[in-house]
Amino acid sequence: GTDSLSTAEQRSVAGVMSAMIAQQEHLVTLRATGKFVVMAPELDRRAMVMRQSQLFFQRPDRLHIHGRMYAKAVMDLVSDRGEYVLTLPGDQVYYQGATRERISALALEASPWELARELFFLEDWQKISKNDIVIVSEAEDGSSIELLLKPGKHSDLYRQITFEANPWRMVTSELHSNTGEIIAETTYSDFEDYDGVWIARTAQTRFPGSGGIMEFHANSIQVNDEIEAAHFDVEQAVQDVVDKEYQRQ
């Protein structure tokens, strides 16, 4: 825990936590357009590159990703209140289940909850106790710090995160199982300040267990604009695909 840290180290940890909590409190909704890429060994194509994608997010875990290729819808994922529906229009099929169930269709070994968490809200920073934090390393000039978050009220998994200063922002994250297996590795880059919230315009997550990779490259981002509730309406999304006579997988 932090009780055994030097004064300088305690200041660094306090600065990181203060910055993360402030951003968490400030980020309510996010709307983005850009390129969404899914790569996995099981996919027929080498990579599913959706250049005209739209992404909608609302805290804590409402997510809607609408992926398009060459003006055609190729993927639609709606996740809210513990449920999700994933539609693949090209195959005329859909998947429905609990938000924390992993989506076999994307071959990522990841659930919608994990996708949203890795992209936007790694942890609930307000629930993290100082006893859950271990400093792995810190640059002598204070420009970066690597922290290990032990399991606690915020999560039942380990997470190792590298932060860079001025202002503090996450640049890499590794999510580990209790046995030490790496579940997800995420890198964040191309940061911009949106009304006090530093957001990475590019995020890439690797899932070593499956060999899957997920990337999002934002062309435009809007923070805390109102997002219509219909974007997260799982029930309506299911009804729409049933009306189209898509097959449930």
Side-chain angles (χ1 to χ4, degrees):
T2 56
D3 289 339
S4 60
L5 302 180
S6 69
T7 302
E9 288 173 329
Q10 289 188 38
R11 275 201 302 268
S12 295
V13 172
V16 167
M17 294 302 297
S18 176
M20 294 302 102
I21 290 172
Q23 293 214 35
Q24 175 177 314
E25 291 176 341
H26 193 57
L27 178 62
V28 179
T29 68
L30 184 146
R31 180 194 305 256
T33 60
K35 180 173 68 174
F36 191 71
V37 181
V38 175
M39 292 177 278
E42 293 85 349
L43 289 175
D44 293 335
R45 294 173 292 276
R46 185 169 297 176
M48 184 184 289
V49 182
M50 295 162 275
R51 298 183 184 280
Q52 300 164 307
S53 297
Q54 294 176 298
L55 188 149
F56 306 88
F57 170 75
Q58 182 175 323
R59 288 193 57 81
D61 56 2
R62 305 178 93 185
L63 180 67
H64 180 195
I65 299 174
H66 183 69
R68 303 180 70 85
M69 293 172 63
Y70 309 112
K72 276 189 173 184
V74 295
M75 183 193 81
D76 195 78
L77 172 65
V78 180
S79 177
D80 183 30
R81 297 178 185 176
E83 298 292 328
Y84 82 87
V85 58
L86 169 70
T87 306
L88 302 177
D91 298 328
Q92 297 188 345
V93 298
Y94 72 99
Y95 299 75
Q96 182 182 1
T99 302
R100 295 188 183 228
E101 292 176 0
R102 293 185 170 180
I103 306 174
S104 59
L106 291 183
L108 290 176
E109 288 296 315
S111 67
W113 180 74
E114 288 168 329
L115 297 182
R117 182 178 65 179
E118 295 305 312
L119 285 172
F120 305 113
F121 65 106
L122 283 182
E123 301 290 347
D124 188 341
W125 299 102
Q126 292 174 321
K127 291 183 179 179
I128 296 175
S129 162
K130 65 179 183 179
N131 294 321
D132 298 331
I133 301 171
V134 176
I135 291 184
V136 177
S137 63
E138 183 175 13
E140 289 186 7
D141 61 1
S143 60
S144 67
I145 190 170
E146 189 172 359
L147 301 181
L148 175 68
L149 305 184
K150 297 185 293 184
K153 291 182 179 180
H154 61 100
S155 175
D156 57 357
L157 299 172
Y158 290 85
R159 187 182 292 280
Q160 196 160 313
I161 308 174
T162 301
F163 299 87
E164 290 185 353
N166 301 318
W168 287 112
R169 58 203 184 279
M170 295 175 294
V171 292
T172 67
S173 166
E174 287 185 0
L175 183 66
H176 295 252
S177 70
N178 291 324
T179 60
E181 175 192 3
I182 298 178
I183 299 171
E185 301 172 301
T186 305
T187 58
Y188 306 91
S189 58
D190 192 15
F191 286 86
E192 285 197 21
D193 182 357
Y194 295 88
D195 297 327
V197 180
W198 283 87
I199 295 176
R201 293 173 63 91
T202 298
Q204 182 191 79
T205 299
R206 294 177 176 270
F207 299 92
S210 66
I213 299 174
M214 171 185 68
E215 297 178 2
F216 186 70
H217 306 268
N219 296 326
S220 67
I221 293 176
Q222 295 170 292
V223 170
N224 293 340
D225 284 359
E226 184 176 355
I227 297 178
E228 300 84 353
H231 280 293
F232 310 110
D233 193 334
V234 174
E235 184 177 349
Q236 184 59 53
V238 171
Q239 187 59 54
D240 290 344
V241 293
V242 168
D243 291 344
K244 293 176 182 177
E245 299 184 350
Y246 284 9
Q247 297 298 308
R248 181 173 179 175
Q249 301 298 296

